[in-house]
Amino acid sequence: RPSLNLDFANSKELDSRITFYRASTGTYYDSKGIIQYATENEPRFDHDPLTGESKGLLIEEARANIAFNSAKLTGLTPTRCDVIPALAPDGTFSGFKLVEQTTATATRYVNTGTYTTSAGTTYTVSAYIKANERTKLQFRLETGGVWSYHILNVDLATDTATSSLHNQANSNYTITDVGNGWKHISASIVPVASSTNMHFTIMPVVASNSYVGVAGSGLSFWGVQIEVGTFATSYIPPDTSFTSRSSTATYHDETGIL
């Protein structure tokens, strides 16, 4: 008798008669809580990062990551701090650590670039953050022009946060423990005016935003994503393919063969 297995949580595979389509690469959690990557049109069988429990087939609406430079060191603008490589949730050293400079009392932060936005459209920023020497931060999504912002004051030690809003009413945010000290944080904003310089900023906090930097102190971050929508989807990594050579070329492999 013909049958079709739809028990994706246990089977972790698709019947050959089912067509799965996704236009971008995407991420999911394996049974060990490590982030894995799936190519275009490859099904993702997701797991709870803390318990390893299978969640089955991961299906999400079509989204795009506007923060295309956030995975590159050259796409980050640190102020009164340095950014160095750090271990990421995917087990590679593709993450970053914000390290404070020992300057006088001042703010210190990392900006991940500027982006174009439209008035009345909901944007959601998300990122993986890990407490190191600092456990409190501001998670800031702001637009220029007619200034709108959503500042999320986060305490990574207690997984709590409070919102500070200006010129917009959306206070949606999430804080999710994903294991190994990493928290996945998201916040949304609805700009009141179109802008060409929306930016996302990660800012450590001690008693206030402004404090004397301590050498080596900071926090880690990875997987910044800005997307149109009222909630965050799984991380869509940027295209990291090598495109800086326009011709074919030769090289020697490990055996000396050209």
Side-chain angles (χ1 to χ4, degrees):
R1 176 181 299 178
S3 64
L4 183 65
N5 185 5
L6 300 179
D7 184 4
F8 303 130
N10 290 309
S11 66
K12 299 182 184 179
E13 63 180 4
L14 284 183
D15 187 286
S16 60
R17 293 166 291 179
I18 299 176
T19 300
F20 183 87
Y21 174 79
R22 187 184 64 256
S24 69
T25 57
T27 55
Y28 64 97
Y29 293 100
D30 65 15
S31 59
K32 296 180 180 178
I34 303 298
I35 287 182
Q36 301 292 343
Y37 298 86
T39 59
E40 295 180 10
N41 303 330
E42 179 186 345
R44 292 177 291 173
F45 295 93
D46 202 24
H47 297 76
D48 185 302
L50 299 182
T51 66
E53 179 183 1
S54 175
K55 291 184 174 182
L57 182 64
L58 176 58
I59 300 176
E60 296 177 308
E61 61 186 72
R63 294 282 186 88
N65 186 0
I66 301 172
F68 52 88
N69 276 329
S70 64
K72 302 177 182 179
L73 191 60
T74 54
L76 305 173
T77 305
T79 299
R80 289 179 288 275
C81 64
D82 299 303
V83 178
I84 61 175
L87 190 65
D90 65 352
T92 69
F93 274 90
S94 61
F96 304 103
K97 182 179 180 181
L98 181 159
V99 182
E100 300 169 1
Q101 295 177 356
T102 54
T103 54
T105 300
T107 56
R108 38 197 41 81
Y109 53 89
V110 172
N111 189 312
T112 64
T114 56
Y115 313 97
T116 299
T117 56
S118 300
T121 299
T122 302
Y123 296 88
T124 296
V125 61
S126 58
Y128 292 84
I129 309 288
K130 184 176 184 178
N132 297 133
E133 297 75 22
R134 300 303 184 199
T135 61
K136 295 182 179 180
L137 71 142
Q138 285 196 346
F139 199 81
R140 306 166 66 101
L141 188 61
E142 305 172 80
T143 65
V146 180
W147 197 29
S148 299
Y149 66 68
H150 184 174
I151 298 176
L152 192 64
N153 298 286
V154 182
D155 187 335
L156 296 170
T158 61
D159 289 351
T160 57
T162 57
S163 285
S164 177
L165 307 173
H166 181 72
N167 270 344
Q168 57 102 34
N170 193 324
S171 61
N172 291 342
Y173 69 85
T174 65
I175 303 175
T176 306
D177 187 350
V178 294
N180 296 320
W182 288 94
K183 309 295 173 69
H184 188 247
I185 304 173
S186 72
S188 299
I189 187 174
V190 184
V192 296
S194 298
S195 172
T196 58
N197 65 343
M198 180 175 77
H199 56 277
F200 169 63
T201 303
I202 299 171
M203 180 183 297
V205 173
V206 183
S208 66
N209 296 357
S210 188
Y211 60 94
V212 176
V214 176
S217 293
L219 48 81
S220 297
F221 62 97
W222 179 82
V224 175
Q225 180 156 290
I226 301 174
E227 54 193 312
V228 175
T230 58
F231 59 89
T233 60
S234 58
Y235 179 50
I236 303 170
D239 182 7
T240 56
S241 59
F242 184 76
T243 58
S244 62
R245 188 184 67 248
S246 59
S247 67
T248 58
T250 58
Y251 66 97
H252 292 278
D253 67 14
E254 67 275 11
T255 65
I257 303 300
L258 191 64

